[in-house]
Amino acid sequence: MRPVLVLTHAPSEGPGLIGPALDAPLRVRTVVDVADPLLPDPDEVAGIVVMGGWMDADDDLHHPGLAAERALLARAVAQDVPVLGVCLGAQLLAMALGGRLLRRHGTEVGFGPVDVVADDLVLGPLGARPTVLHWHADAVELPPDATLLASTEVTPVQAFRRGSALGVQFHLELEPAMLDLWLQTPEMVAGLDDDEIATIREDGRTHLPALVPAARKVVEVFAEQVRLRG
């Protein structure tokens, strides 16, 4: 079986529960600051997963590898390769498909519901109004010919589908240990006060027991698409 390419952008924002749930060989790469990275051709991989990060999805000046990632994602969708983009990964995917990044559109940090507005085979296990973890200030416009899947008042495009690709602005990968790491990482909690951090920690204890199994089911459906590509 061909490997799944996992693109990461920050040490604290790895694939989390996505990796084990894929049950496939993984090729994890971090190329965000590489001007001309060597990335595989879409034909060489069974799927692509793009994780989060603290940088802006259009900041090619300071993080030149982002342009190569977007180009790869555009080719992958054109070749019907299964793609899953999470947070920054969803923003890169949207831009690759012709959507526009909206810098500082609205801050959402912490647990809160999203409204699922359309059916999707992969996203379906989350249910109609799941409580998920948000951690972003940027947003995207819906790419041309994409289907809006989930929304909040602050961020109208919380999830979208175009062809073989699913983008989710919220975090599906979180397990309790990863949340603990984030809440101890200065870059992640910059701008949050002690009470806000405590609230996120407590909300994690409340919501992750239901969210983690549902997220695993989401990734398992994505993994089946990856296996079919082989």
Side-chain angles (χ1 to χ4, degrees):
M1 180 176 177
R2 286 173 285 191
V4 176
L5 176 65
V6 180
L7 295 172
T8 64
H9 308 93
S12 60
E13 297 199 50
L17 65 79
I18 293 174
L22 281 174
D23 192 27
L26 303 182
R27 184 184 301 179
V28 182
R29 298 287 307 279
T30 303
V31 301
V32 63
D33 293 332
V34 180
D36 189 20
L38 293 174
L39 290 170
D41 187 90
D43 283 339
E44 300 175 35
V45 299
I48 300 175
V49 177
V50 192
M51 301 310 305
W54 54 265
M55 60 285 298
D56 295 313
D58 62 354
D59 191 1
D60 298 355
L61 177 63
H62 298 101
H63 306 287
L66 295 173
E69 290 188 36
R70 295 195 303 270
L72 173 64
L73 292 173
R75 294 197 305 274
V77 177
Q79 295 179 37
D80 207 31
V81 177
V83 174
L84 175 60
V86 177
C87 199
L88 172 64
Q91 296 167 7
L92 291 166
L93 175 62
M95 292 181 65
L97 299 177
R100 187 166 65 97
L101 182 72
L102 306 173
R103 285 197 184 191
R104 313 304 175 262
H105 181 269
T107 299
E108 289 182 297
V109 178
F111 287 88
V114 295
D115 292 310
V116 176
V117 298
D119 292 334
D120 184 77
L121 179 65
V122 177
L123 197 64
L126 287 184
R129 200 167 192 263
T131 295
V132 296
L133 181 66
H134 307 271
W135 212 296
H136 69 99
D138 293 351
V140 291
E141 292 181 340
L142 188 67
D145 301 319
T147 299
L148 179 66
L149 299 178
S151 181
T152 62
E153 184 175 348
V154 174
T155 306
V157 181
Q158 281 282 358
F160 64 90
R161 158 79 62 189
R162 183 163 134 187
S164 61
L166 171 65
V168 291
Q169 181 60 63
F170 48 90
H171 289 276
L172 284 172
E173 76 276 28
L174 256 292
E175 296 179 292
M178 179 175 278
L179 181 59
D180 289 342
L181 173 63
W182 285 17
L183 294 177
Q184 298 174 54
T185 301
E187 293 84 358
M188 296 296 297
V189 298
L192 299 178
D193 61 33
D194 290 345
D195 288 343
E196 290 170 321
I197 293 171
T199 296
I200 294 171
R201 181 175 286 111
E202 183 59 34
D203 285 348
R205 296 189 187 102
T206 300
H207 297 296
L208 285 178
L211 178 59
V212 168
R216 286 199 180 106
K217 290 179 181 178
V218 168
V219 181
E220 287 165 4
V221 180
F222 176 76
E224 180 59 28
Q225 296 179 344
V226 169
R227 283 190 289 272
L228 289 173
R229 178 171 167 79

